[in-house]
Amino acid sequence: MAGSLRLTLPLRLSAVLLLSCWFGIAGAARPAPSDVGLGRGGNASFVGAWCAGTKYPALCNATLSPHAASVGASLTRLAWAALNVTHDGARNSTKAMKRMAADGHLAPVAAEAARDCVSMLGDAVDLLGQSVEAMEEAAAEEEGQAPQQSRRMARFRVDSVLTWASAALTDGHMCMEGFKGQAAGGGGVRKAVRGRVVGLVHLSANALCIVNAMANQTPP
Ligand SMILES: *[C@@H]1O[C@H](CO)[C@@H](O)[C@H](O)[C@H]1NC(C)=O
Ligand SMILES: *[C@@H]1O[C@H](CO)[C@@H](O)[C@H](O)[C@H]1NC(C)=O
Ligand SMILES: *[C@@H]1O[C@H](CO)[C@@H](O)[C@H](O)[C@H]1NC(C)=O
Ligand SMILES: *[C@@H]1O[C@H](CO)[C@@H](O)[C@H](O)[C@H]1NC(C)=O
């Protein structure tokens, strides 16, 4: 099932992005250069200004502000930091769902759904790990620490990151969907799963939004 859903991702991607952020909509809410300068409030204002356009601005700012110094005023580094945090969140969700799957108290249907979750979230960790590596490369090139790739390769790389991060978001959604219905333990279990996974879904949506803004900055 995960495989067939993955195939439809390129079609779903633009829909996900439109739902996830504001930058795509005729440049709305794209921070003005005067708002993101280092003069007013230092680099934290760069993070804050970009986070304001994401779907979950408070979560974005809370998770990325601590990395403001390392982000500086680079959108590439902001995207890298967002993927770092999302990767971390995916590892946390996987661990939490592993503990849940190992707990003998679940109904059989829920236990199976929990095992499916662990496997899907494990995939998400791998995909986000690849995304982080790709952004690390992009940042090294931007800073002249690695030879510049061709525009075509850079475009391919950013498109790959968008595909991987949106697959990670889908994995999180599908994990929660697996607990629909009474046989999977009802509302209590569903709520517990949501608590362990929704953070990852929101972080992925924010990261997608920022990577997409970065992609739009790169000439085609
Ligand atoms: C973002 O977080 C920083 C640090 O926690 C805080 O100082 C700042 O006011 C926040 N900005 C917004 C727009 O929420
Ligand atoms: C802002 O970014 C620059 C360049 O990355 C960094 O050297 C500096 O420490 C940062 N300043 C603050 C206040 O975060
Ligand atoms: C991403 O994480 C790596 C490894 O922890 C770290 O070295 C790097 O500075 C982080 N990137 C940003 C932009 O914060
Ligand atoms: C992941 O868990 C660690 C340890 O509990 C925590 O410090 C970190 O903030 C969590 N990261 C995310 C993105 O949830």
PDB file of all heavy atoms in Angstrom, residues 168-207:
ATOM      1  N   ALA A 168       7.919  11.517   3.516  1.00  0.00           N
ATOM      2  CA  ALA A 168       7.996  11.397   4.974  1.00  0.00           C
ATOM      3  C   ALA A 168       6.700  11.904   5.614  1.00  0.00           C
ATOM      4  O   ALA A 168       6.166  11.290   6.550  1.00  0.00           O
ATOM      5  CB  ALA A 168       9.198  12.168   5.514  1.00  0.00           C
ATOM      6  N   LEU A 169       6.183  13.008   5.070  1.00  0.00           N
ATOM      7  CA  LEU A 169       4.921  13.555   5.578  1.00  0.00           C
ATOM      8  C   LEU A 169       3.786  12.543   5.351  1.00  0.00           C
ATOM      9  O   LEU A 169       2.968  12.289   6.247  1.00  0.00           O
ATOM     10  CB  LEU A 169       4.628  14.878   4.862  1.00  0.00           C
ATOM     11  CG  LEU A 169       3.443  15.713   5.343  1.00  0.00           C
ATOM     12  CD1 LEU A 169       3.720  17.191   5.095  1.00  0.00           C
ATOM     13  CD2 LEU A 169       2.154  15.350   4.655  1.00  0.00           C
ATOM     14  N   THR A 170       3.765  11.940   4.160  1.00  0.00           N
ATOM     15  CA  THR A 170       2.748  10.924   3.853  1.00  0.00           C
ATOM     16  C   THR A 170       2.869   9.729   4.792  1.00  0.00           C
ATOM     17  O   THR A 170       1.860   9.195   5.258  1.00  0.00           O
ATOM     18  CB  THR A 170       2.900  10.466   2.383  1.00  0.00           C
ATOM     19  OG1 THR A 170       2.780  11.609   1.536  1.00  0.00           O
ATOM     20  CG2 THR A 170       1.832   9.450   2.006  1.00  0.00           C
ATOM     21  N   ASP A 171       4.100   9.309   5.085  1.00  0.00           N
ATOM     22  CA  ASP A 171       4.308   8.187   6.019  1.00  0.00           C
ATOM     23  C   ASP A 171       3.688   8.506   7.377  1.00  0.00           C
ATOM     24  O   ASP A 171       3.028   7.654   7.980  1.00  0.00           O
ATOM     25  CB  ASP A 171       5.807   7.902   6.192  1.00  0.00           C
ATOM     26  CG  ASP A 171       6.396   7.133   4.997  1.00  0.00           C
ATOM     27  OD1 ASP A 171       5.653   6.359   4.370  1.00  0.00           O
ATOM     28  OD2 ASP A 171       7.592   7.317   4.712  1.00  0.00           O
ATOM     29  N   GLY A 172       3.887   9.727   7.858  1.00  0.00           N
ATOM     30  CA  GLY A 172       3.325  10.133   9.146  1.00  0.00           C
ATOM     31  C   GLY A 172       1.801  10.097   9.116  1.00  0.00           C
ATOM     32  O   GLY A 172       1.152   9.578  10.033  1.00  0.00           O
ATOM     33  N   HIS A 173       1.222  10.618   8.015  1.00  0.00           N
ATOM     34  CA  HIS A 173      -0.243  10.612   7.864  1.00  0.00           C
ATOM     35  C   HIS A 173      -0.784   9.188   7.855  1.00  0.00           C
ATOM     36  O   HIS A 173      -1.762   8.861   8.522  1.00  0.00           O
ATOM     37  CB  HIS A 173      -0.638  11.272   6.536  1.00  0.00           C
ATOM     38  CG  HIS A 173      -1.011  12.709   6.678  1.00  0.00           C
ATOM     39  ND1 HIS A 173      -2.003  13.129   7.523  1.00  0.00           N
ATOM     40  CD2 HIS A 173      -0.531  13.827   6.092  1.00  0.00           C
ATOM     41  CE1 HIS A 173      -2.103  14.433   7.443  1.00  0.00           C
ATOM     42  NE2 HIS A 173      -1.213  14.890   6.583  1.00  0.00           N
ATOM     43  N   MET A 174      -0.117   8.337   7.062  1.00  0.00           N
ATOM     44  CA  MET A 174      -0.611   6.966   6.920  1.00  0.00           C
ATOM     45  C   MET A 174      -0.500   6.203   8.226  1.00  0.00           C
ATOM     46  O   MET A 174      -1.329   5.352   8.528  1.00  0.00           O
ATOM     47  CB  MET A 174       0.150   6.249   5.808  1.00  0.00           C
ATOM     48  CG  MET A 174      -0.329   6.701   4.435  1.00  0.00           C
ATOM     49  SD  MET A 174       0.607   5.936   3.123  1.00  0.00           S
ATOM     50  CE  MET A 174       0.291   4.222   3.455  1.00  0.00           C
ATOM     51  N   CYS A 175       0.522   6.519   9.001  1.00  0.00           N
ATOM     52  CA  CYS A 175       0.680   5.895  10.306  1.00  0.00           C
ATOM     53  C   CYS A 175      -0.550   6.208  11.158  1.00  0.00           C
ATOM     54  O   CYS A 175      -1.171   5.309  11.733  1.00  0.00           O
ATOM     55  CB  CYS A 175       1.959   6.400  10.954  1.00  0.00           C
ATOM     56  SG  CYS A 175       2.098   6.062  12.706  1.00  0.00           S
ATOM     57  N   MET A 176      -0.953   7.458  11.201  1.00  0.00           N
ATOM     58  CA  MET A 176      -2.114   7.846  12.025  1.00  0.00           C
ATOM     59  C   MET A 176      -3.402   7.248  11.460  1.00  0.00           C
ATOM     60  O   MET A 176      -4.268   6.816  12.217  1.00  0.00           O
ATOM     61  CB  MET A 176      -2.208   9.377  12.113  1.00  0.00           C
ATOM     62  CG  MET A 176      -1.030   9.983  12.849  1.00  0.00           C
ATOM     63  SD  MET A 176      -1.214  11.745  13.266  1.00  0.00           S
ATOM     64  CE  MET A 176      -1.149  12.529  11.680  1.00  0.00           C
ATOM     65  N   GLU A 177      -3.518   7.214  10.123  1.00  0.00           N
ATOM     66  CA  GLU A 177      -4.713   6.655   9.471  1.00  0.00           C
ATOM     67  C   GLU A 177      -4.918   5.181   9.834  1.00  0.00           C
ATOM     68  O   GLU A 177      -6.044   4.701   9.892  1.00  0.00           O
ATOM     69  CB  GLU A 177      -4.596   6.768   7.944  1.00  0.00           C
ATOM     70  CG  GLU A 177      -4.697   8.178   7.406  1.00  0.00           C
ATOM     71  CD  GLU A 177      -6.107   8.710   7.495  1.00  0.00           C
ATOM     72  OE1 GLU A 177      -7.011   8.107   6.898  1.00  0.00           O
ATOM     73  OE2 GLU A 177      -6.303   9.715   8.199  1.00  0.00           O
ATOM     74  N   GLY A 178      -3.802   4.477  10.054  1.00  0.00           N
ATOM     75  CA  GLY A 178      -3.858   3.046  10.368  1.00  0.00           C
ATOM     76  C   GLY A 178      -4.616   2.747  11.647  1.00  0.00           C
ATOM     77  O   GLY A 178      -5.003   1.601  11.891  1.00  0.00           O
ATOM     78  N   PHE A 179      -4.854   3.753  12.464  1.00  0.00           N
ATOM     79  CA  PHE A 179      -5.538   3.542  13.743  1.00  0.00           C
ATOM     80  C   PHE A 179      -6.992   3.990  13.722  1.00  0.00           C
ATOM     81  O   PHE A 179      -7.616   4.126  14.769  1.00  0.00           O
ATOM     82  CB  PHE A 179      -4.767   4.237  14.872  1.00  0.00           C
ATOM     83  CG  PHE A 179      -3.470   3.557  15.179  1.00  0.00           C
ATOM     84  CD1 PHE A 179      -2.330   3.853  14.458  1.00  0.00           C
ATOM     85  CD2 PHE A 179      -3.403   2.572  16.162  1.00  0.00           C
ATOM     86  CE1 PHE A 179      -1.132   3.201  14.722  1.00  0.00           C
ATOM     87  CE2 PHE A 179      -2.216   1.922  16.437  1.00  0.00           C
ATOM     88  CZ  PHE A 179      -1.074   2.236  15.705  1.00  0.00           C
ATOM     89  N   LYS A 180      -7.503   4.211  12.526  1.00  0.00           N
ATOM     90  CA  LYS A 180      -8.922   4.557  12.419  1.00  0.00           C
ATOM     91  C   LYS A 180      -9.748   3.313  12.710  1.00  0.00           C
ATOM     92  O   LYS A 180      -9.351   2.218  12.365  1.00  0.00           O
ATOM     93  CB  LYS A 180      -9.227   5.064  11.010  1.00  0.00           C
ATOM     94  CG  LYS A 180      -9.038   6.561  10.886  1.00  0.00           C
ATOM     95  CD  LYS A 180      -9.740   7.103   9.645  1.00  0.00           C
ATOM     96  CE  LYS A 180      -9.756   8.610   9.654  1.00  0.00           C
ATOM     97  NZ  LYS A 180      -9.928   9.139   8.301  1.00  0.00           N
ATOM     98  N   GLY A 181     -10.891   3.477  13.335  1.00  0.00           N
ATOM     99  CA  GLY A 181     -11.791   2.345  13.549  1.00  0.00           C
ATOM    100  C   GLY A 181     -11.644   1.743  14.935  1.00  0.00           C
ATOM    101  O   GLY A 181     -10.583   1.781  15.530  1.00  0.00           O
ATOM    102  N   GLN A 182     -12.723   1.196  15.411  1.00  0.00           N
ATOM    103  CA  GLN A 182     -12.776   0.653  16.772  1.00  0.00           C
ATOM    104  C   GLN A 182     -11.844  -0.542  16.963  1.00  0.00           C
ATOM    105  O   GLN A 182     -11.284  -0.731  18.022  1.00  0.00           O
ATOM    106  CB  GLN A 182     -14.216   0.239  17.117  1.00  0.00           C
ATOM    107  CG  GLN A 182     -15.125   1.413  17.388  1.00  0.00           C
ATOM    108  CD  GLN A 182     -14.559   2.373  18.429  1.00  0.00           C
ATOM    109  OE1 GLN A 182     -14.114   1.945  19.490  1.00  0.00           O
ATOM    110  NE2 GLN A 182     -14.541   3.657  18.129  1.00  0.00           N
ATOM    111  N   ALA A 183     -11.690  -1.363  15.900  1.00  0.00           N
ATOM    112  CA  ALA A 183     -10.876  -2.573  16.039  1.00  0.00           C
ATOM    113  C   ALA A 183      -9.448  -2.238  16.449  1.00  0.00           C
ATOM    114  O   ALA A 183      -8.761  -3.025  17.091  1.00  0.00           O
ATOM    115  CB  ALA A 183     -10.877  -3.359  14.728  1.00  0.00           C
ATOM    116  N   ALA A 184      -8.994  -1.040  16.092  1.00  0.00           N
ATOM    117  CA  ALA A 184      -7.622  -0.646  16.436  1.00  0.00           C
ATOM    118  C   ALA A 184      -7.547  -0.010  17.818  1.00  0.00           C
ATOM    119  O   ALA A 184      -6.566   0.629  18.162  1.00  0.00           O
ATOM    120  CB  ALA A 184      -7.074   0.301  15.372  1.00  0.00           C
ATOM    121  N   GLY A 185      -8.609  -0.163  18.605  1.00  0.00           N
ATOM    122  CA  GLY A 185      -8.537   0.276  19.993  1.00  0.00           C
ATOM    123  C   GLY A 185      -9.311   1.545  20.289  1.00  0.00           C
ATOM    124  O   GLY A 185      -9.369   1.982  21.424  1.00  0.00           O
ATOM    125  N   GLY A 186      -9.883   2.167  19.243  1.00  0.00           N
ATOM    126  CA  GLY A 186     -10.731   3.328  19.457  1.00  0.00           C
ATOM    127  C   GLY A 186      -9.969   4.609  19.712  1.00  0.00           C
ATOM    128  O   GLY A 186      -8.763   4.710  19.465  1.00  0.00           O
ATOM    129  N   GLY A 187     -10.718   5.595  20.217  1.00  0.00           N
ATOM    130  CA  GLY A 187     -10.216   6.957  20.344  1.00  0.00           C
ATOM    131  C   GLY A 187      -8.982   7.118  21.207  1.00  0.00           C
ATOM    132  O   GLY A 187      -8.125   7.939  20.900  1.00  0.00           O
ATOM    133  N   GLY A 188      -8.899   6.344  22.285  1.00  0.00           N
ATOM    134  CA  GLY A 188      -7.769   6.494  23.201  1.00  0.00           C
ATOM    135  C   GLY A 188      -6.446   6.168  22.528  1.00  0.00           C
ATOM    136  O   GLY A 188      -5.479   6.937  22.619  1.00  0.00           O
ATOM    137  N   VAL A 189      -6.431   5.050  21.815  1.00  0.00           N
ATOM    138  CA  VAL A 189      -5.196   4.637  21.131  1.00  0.00           C
ATOM    139  C   VAL A 189      -4.873   5.619  20.015  1.00  0.00           C
ATOM    140  O   VAL A 189      -3.727   6.033  19.836  1.00  0.00           O
ATOM    141  CB  VAL A 189      -5.329   3.197  20.567  1.00  0.00           C
ATOM    142  CG1 VAL A 189      -4.106   2.817  19.754  1.00  0.00           C
ATOM    143  CG2 VAL A 189      -5.562   2.205  21.685  1.00  0.00           C
ATOM    144  N   ARG A 190      -5.933   6.015  19.291  1.00  0.00           N
ATOM    145  CA  ARG A 190      -5.730   6.937  18.170  1.00  0.00           C
ATOM    146  C   ARG A 190      -5.105   8.254  18.663  1.00  0.00           C
ATOM    147  O   ARG A 190      -4.207   8.806  18.053  1.00  0.00           O
ATOM    148  CB  ARG A 190      -7.073   7.199  17.483  1.00  0.00           C
ATOM    149  CG  ARG A 190      -6.926   7.805  16.114  1.00  0.00           C
ATOM    150  CD  ARG A 190      -8.134   7.529  15.243  1.00  0.00           C
ATOM    151  NE  ARG A 190      -9.309   8.226  15.713  1.00  0.00           N
ATOM    152  CZ  ARG A 190     -10.466   7.635  16.001  1.00  0.00           C
ATOM    153  NH1 ARG A 190     -10.606   6.333  15.860  1.00  0.00           N
ATOM    154  NH2 ARG A 190     -11.488   8.337  16.433  1.00  0.00           N
ATOM    155  N   LYS A 191      -5.608   8.700  19.790  1.00  0.00           N
ATOM    156  CA  LYS A 191      -5.108   9.946  20.363  1.00  0.00           C
ATOM    157  C   LYS A 191      -3.637   9.795  20.787  1.00  0.00           C
ATOM    158  O   LYS A 191      -2.820  10.699  20.575  1.00  0.00           O
ATOM    159  CB  LYS A 191      -5.960  10.314  21.577  1.00  0.00           C
ATOM    160  CG  LYS A 191      -6.122  11.793  21.764  1.00  0.00           C
ATOM    161  CD  LYS A 191      -7.191  12.094  22.800  1.00  0.00           C
ATOM    162  CE  LYS A 191      -6.844  13.395  23.521  1.00  0.00           C
ATOM    163  NZ  LYS A 191      -7.697  13.617  24.687  1.00  0.00           N
ATOM    164  N   ALA A 192      -3.329   8.645  21.376  1.00  0.00           N
ATOM    165  CA  ALA A 192      -1.954   8.409  21.821  1.00  0.00           C
ATOM    166  C   ALA A 192      -1.007   8.381  20.622  1.00  0.00           C
ATOM    167  O   ALA A 192       0.094   8.948  20.671  1.00  0.00           O
ATOM    168  CB  ALA A 192      -1.877   7.091  22.589  1.00  0.00           C
ATOM    169  N   VAL A 193      -1.441   7.744  19.530  1.00  0.00           N
ATOM    170  CA  VAL A 193      -0.603   7.671  18.330  1.00  0.00           C
ATOM    171  C   VAL A 193      -0.416   9.067  17.746  1.00  0.00           C
ATOM    172  O   VAL A 193       0.693   9.473  17.406  1.00  0.00           O
ATOM    173  CB  VAL A 193      -1.222   6.729  17.272  1.00  0.00           C
ATOM    174  CG1 VAL A 193      -0.479   6.810  15.953  1.00  0.00           C
ATOM    175  CG2 VAL A 193      -1.233   5.294  17.801  1.00  0.00           C
ATOM    176  N   ARG A 194      -1.519   9.796  17.666  1.00  0.00           N
ATOM    177  CA  ARG A 194      -1.464  11.161  17.142  1.00  0.00           C
ATOM    178  C   ARG A 194      -0.443  12.001  17.926  1.00  0.00           C
ATOM    179  O   ARG A 194       0.358  12.723  17.346  1.00  0.00           O
ATOM    180  CB  ARG A 194      -2.862  11.795  17.224  1.00  0.00           C
ATOM    181  CG  ARG A 194      -2.971  13.082  16.467  1.00  0.00           C
ATOM    182  CD  ARG A 194      -4.348  13.706  16.569  1.00  0.00           C
ATOM    183  NE  ARG A 194      -4.218  15.154  16.497  1.00  0.00           N
ATOM    184  CZ  ARG A 194      -4.044  15.832  15.367  1.00  0.00           C
ATOM    185  NH1 ARG A 194      -4.043  15.204  14.221  1.00  0.00           N
ATOM    186  NH2 ARG A 194      -3.884  17.126  15.387  1.00  0.00           N
ATOM    187  N   GLY A 195      -0.463  11.851  19.224  1.00  0.00           N
ATOM    188  CA  GLY A 195       0.480  12.588  20.066  1.00  0.00           C
ATOM    189  C   GLY A 195       1.932  12.271  19.740  1.00  0.00           C
ATOM    190  O   GLY A 195       2.809  13.123  19.905  1.00  0.00           O
ATOM    191  N   ARG A 196       2.187  11.045  19.276  1.00  0.00           N
ATOM    192  CA  ARG A 196       3.567  10.653  18.981  1.00  0.00           C
ATOM    193  C   ARG A 196       3.990  10.999  17.567  1.00  0.00           C
ATOM    194  O   ARG A 196       5.177  11.010  17.258  1.00  0.00           O
ATOM    195  CB  ARG A 196       3.727   9.137  19.197  1.00  0.00           C
ATOM    196  CG  ARG A 196       3.676   8.739  20.657  1.00  0.00           C
ATOM    197  CD  ARG A 196       3.491   7.218  20.798  1.00  0.00           C
ATOM    198  NE  ARG A 196       3.608   6.760  22.173  1.00  0.00           N
ATOM    199  CZ  ARG A 196       2.619   6.800  23.072  1.00  0.00           C
ATOM    200  NH1 ARG A 196       1.436   7.296  22.714  1.00  0.00           N
ATOM    201  NH2 ARG A 196       2.799   6.363  24.289  1.00  0.00           N
ATOM    202  N   VAL A 197       3.034  11.242  16.673  1.00  0.00           N
ATOM    203  CA  VAL A 197       3.356  11.363  15.242  1.00  0.00           C
ATOM    204  C   VAL A 197       3.044  12.730  14.641  1.00  0.00           C
ATOM    205  O   VAL A 197       3.682  13.154  13.675  1.00  0.00           O
ATOM    206  CB  VAL A 197       2.643  10.236  14.449  1.00  0.00           C
ATOM    207  CG1 VAL A 197       2.922  10.351  12.962  1.00  0.00           C
ATOM    208  CG2 VAL A 197       3.076   8.863  14.958  1.00  0.00           C
ATOM    209  N   VAL A 198       2.087  13.444  15.241  1.00  0.00           N
ATOM    210  CA  VAL A 198       1.629  14.678  14.588  1.00  0.00           C
ATOM    211  C   VAL A 198       2.734  15.732  14.506  1.00  0.00           C
ATOM    212  O   VAL A 198       2.804  16.502  13.537  1.00  0.00           O
ATOM    213  CB  VAL A 198       0.352  15.220  15.284  1.00  0.00           C
ATOM    214  CG1 VAL A 198       0.676  15.915  16.592  1.00  0.00           C
ATOM    215  CG2 VAL A 198      -0.415  16.131  14.358  1.00  0.00           C
ATOM    216  N   GLY A 199       3.639  15.724  15.503  1.00  0.00           N
ATOM    217  CA  GLY A 199       4.758  16.666  15.476  1.00  0.00           C
ATOM    218  C   GLY A 199       5.602  16.474  14.221  1.00  0.00           C
ATOM    219  O   GLY A 199       5.982  17.440  13.553  1.00  0.00           O
ATOM    220  N   LEU A 200       5.854  15.228  13.883  1.00  0.00           N
ATOM    221  CA  LEU A 200       6.624  14.916  12.678  1.00  0.00           C
ATOM    222  C   LEU A 200       5.907  15.421  11.428  1.00  0.00           C
ATOM    223  O   LEU A 200       6.539  16.003  10.532  1.00  0.00           O
ATOM    224  CB  LEU A 200       6.843  13.393  12.581  1.00  0.00           C
ATOM    225  CG  LEU A 200       7.265  12.873  11.202  1.00  0.00           C
ATOM    226  CD1 LEU A 200       8.626  13.420  10.812  1.00  0.00           C
ATOM    227  CD2 LEU A 200       7.264  11.351  11.173  1.00  0.00           C
ATOM    228  N   VAL A 201       4.596  15.224  11.378  1.00  0.00           N
ATOM    229  CA  VAL A 201       3.815  15.670  10.216  1.00  0.00           C
ATOM    230  C   VAL A 201       3.910  17.195  10.080  1.00  0.00           C
ATOM    231  O   VAL A 201       4.147  17.721   8.991  1.00  0.00           O
ATOM    232  CB  VAL A 201       2.347  15.197  10.336  1.00  0.00           C
ATOM    233  CG1 VAL A 201       1.470  15.841   9.278  1.00  0.00           C
ATOM    234  CG2 VAL A 201       2.276  13.673  10.226  1.00  0.00           C
ATOM    235  N   HIS A 202       3.774  17.898  11.190  1.00  0.00           N
ATOM    236  CA  HIS A 202       3.840  19.359  11.142  1.00  0.00           C
ATOM    237  C   HIS A 202       5.243  19.856  10.790  1.00  0.00           C
ATOM    238  O   HIS A 202       5.398  20.778   9.995  1.00  0.00           O
ATOM    239  CB  HIS A 202       3.380  19.953  12.484  1.00  0.00           C
ATOM    240  CG  HIS A 202       1.911  19.762  12.731  1.00  0.00           C
ATOM    241  ND1 HIS A 202       1.286  20.184  13.873  1.00  0.00           N
ATOM    242  CD2 HIS A 202       0.942  19.179  11.972  1.00  0.00           C
ATOM    243  CE1 HIS A 202      -0.013  19.877  13.811  1.00  0.00           C
ATOM    244  NE2 HIS A 202      -0.232  19.262  12.667  1.00  0.00           N
ATOM    245  N   LEU A 203       6.269  19.216  11.372  1.00  0.00           N
ATOM    246  CA  LEU A 203       7.645  19.615  11.052  1.00  0.00           C
ATOM    247  C   LEU A 203       7.942  19.370   9.574  1.00  0.00           C
ATOM    248  O   LEU A 203       8.606  20.174   8.919  1.00  0.00           O
ATOM    249  CB  LEU A 203       8.648  18.834  11.918  1.00  0.00           C
ATOM    250  CG  LEU A 203       8.713  19.196  13.403  1.00  0.00           C
ATOM    251  CD1 LEU A 203       9.587  18.197  14.160  1.00  0.00           C
ATOM    252  CD2 LEU A 203       9.232  20.617  13.606  1.00  0.00           C
ATOM    253  N   SER A 204       7.442  18.232   9.031  1.00  0.00           N
ATOM    254  CA  SER A 204       7.672  17.938   7.608  1.00  0.00           C
ATOM    255  C   SER A 204       6.999  18.982   6.730  1.00  0.00           C
ATOM    256  O   SER A 204       7.563  19.408   5.718  1.00  0.00           O
ATOM    257  CB  SER A 204       7.105  16.576   7.189  1.00  0.00           C
ATOM    258  OG  SER A 204       7.409  15.570   8.074  1.00  0.00           O
ATOM    259  N   ALA A 205       5.771  19.372   7.097  1.00  0.00           N
ATOM    260  CA  ALA A 205       5.048  20.366   6.304  1.00  0.00           C
ATOM    261  C   ALA A 205       5.828  21.687   6.291  1.00  0.00           C
ATOM    262  O   ALA A 205       5.998  22.308   5.236  1.00  0.00           O
ATOM    263  CB  ALA A 205       3.649  20.582   6.876  1.00  0.00           C
ATOM    264  N   ASN A 206       6.347  22.080   7.449  1.00  0.00           N
ATOM    265  CA  ASN A 206       7.128  23.318   7.519  1.00  0.00           C
ATOM    266  C   ASN A 206       8.413  23.216   6.702  1.00  0.00           C
ATOM    267  O   ASN A 206       8.774  24.143   5.972  1.00  0.00           O
ATOM    268  CB  ASN A 206       7.480  23.640   8.976  1.00  0.00           C
ATOM    269  CG  ASN A 206       6.316  24.259   9.736  1.00  0.00           C
ATOM    270  OD1 ASN A 206       5.307  24.636   9.139  1.00  0.00           O
ATOM    271  ND2 ASN A 206       6.455  24.363  11.045  1.00  0.00           N
ATOM    272  N   ALA A 207       9.105  22.066   6.821  1.00  0.00           N
ATOM    273  CA  ALA A 207      10.367  21.894   6.093  1.00  0.00           C
ATOM    274  C   ALA A 207      10.106  21.940   4.588  1.00  0.00           C
ATOM    275  O   ALA A 207      10.849  22.583   3.839  1.00  0.00           O
ATOM    276  CB  ALA A 207      11.035  20.581   6.492  1.00  0.00           C
TER     277      ALA A 207
END
